[in-house]
Amino acid sequence: MFDLIKELVNVYGPSGHESAVADKVEELLSGKVDSFRTDALGNLICEKKGTNPKGKRVMLSAHMDHIGFVVVAVEKEGFLRVMPVGGINLAVSKTRHITFGNGIQGVLVQQPVREGENPVMKHMFVDIGAQDEAEALSMVSLGDTAVYSNDCFRLGKHRVAAPAMDDRVACALLVAVIQELGECENTVIAVFSAQEEVGCRGAKTAAFSTEPDMGIALDVTSHGDTPENKLPAVKLGEGAAVKIMDQGSISHPGLVKALLAAGQRAGVKTQREVLPFGGTDAMAMQQTKGGMPVGTVSIPCRYVHSACEVIDLRDVEGAKALVLEYLRSLV
Ligand code: CO
Ligand code: ZN
């Protein structure tokens, strides 16, 4: 699982620019699904037909996009002004290595630095090593996007840190589920969604066009297992978290029950998750067309929306067993 996660977290893909991730997923799933389709929003929709005509249509959604930065202006000294794409936390973005889609490297800097003060965007700029405005504009254009640079590494025995763990770890999970599913009575619509970080936009159109009977988002969630953080009551290494609710959706109680039961039958640990903030693609699926029952299977993740998002590989394995058991036992 580590190799697959590493392969996916290292692909460039801020919100709205997910095509390289989609290409990688399509390569990994070639021969494993009945059809691939990319829609106008950039979603990659992979359908694997069920063998039972009475089977359900289950949409699983993992978002491909990653939070990032977009160039809004260039200073005459050659520095770039940027603004966030998605939920960038400026407090953890000081003096960070970032990479543009065309390979240009940059250092995100905050000046002046005042002790105890939260940075504001107007004090942040990117140094790309340009001498002046003209040189900077020969390297990047207004509107170009950047992300935290690749840095995927093992942490202890079971854990992995990387930027873009949100949500490439779930892309890896969904790839692994489809690779291992084999013959199944139910139709699985694996959606690798676009533009989640700017408002769950991709999942909305994907759910509209594929008409599933139910939707399950696969995403990271936060953690309550560090010295200063006790909520949500979710711990790394304690298994996949089955979401009860967050600020975007309330999971269907019947689906929560079915997911927890599937985890139990698969013999893996699960946690019940109530997240006081945030939302997932479940929110978009739940409110598409006439609505549908939704749930979210979450991978517990520390330091979400930073350049060092940490997950536990055992939780990913557990989530895979849970989702496989759920898909196989439905109908
Ligand atoms: Co996110
Ligand atoms: Zn996410």
Side-chain angles (χ1 to χ4, degrees), residues 3 84 119 193 280 319:
D3 292 335
S193 66
T280 69

Side-chain angles (χ1 to χ4, degrees), residues 68-84:
F69 303 89
V70 59
V71 179
V72 293
V74 181
E75 302 277 5
K76 62 180 188 312
E77 301 88 351
F79 299 100
L80 313 178
R81 292 292 183 174
V82 293
M83 101 184 175

Side-chain angles (χ1 to χ4, degrees), residues 15 38 63 69 102 131 133 149 169 202 206 211 222 230 236 295 299 302 316 322:
S15 304
T38 305
H63 69 90
F69 303 89
N102 61 4
Q131 196 66 35
E133 186 180 355
S149 303
V169 67
E211 302 193 58
S222 193
K230 303 303 174 199
L236 264 68
I299 305 298
R302 288 183 185 156
V316 188
L322 184 163

Side-chain angles (χ1 to χ4, degrees), residues 63 166-167 196-197 219-220:
H63 69 90
D166 175 10
D167 192 25
E196 189 269 358
E197 296 289 1
D219 210 331
V220 298

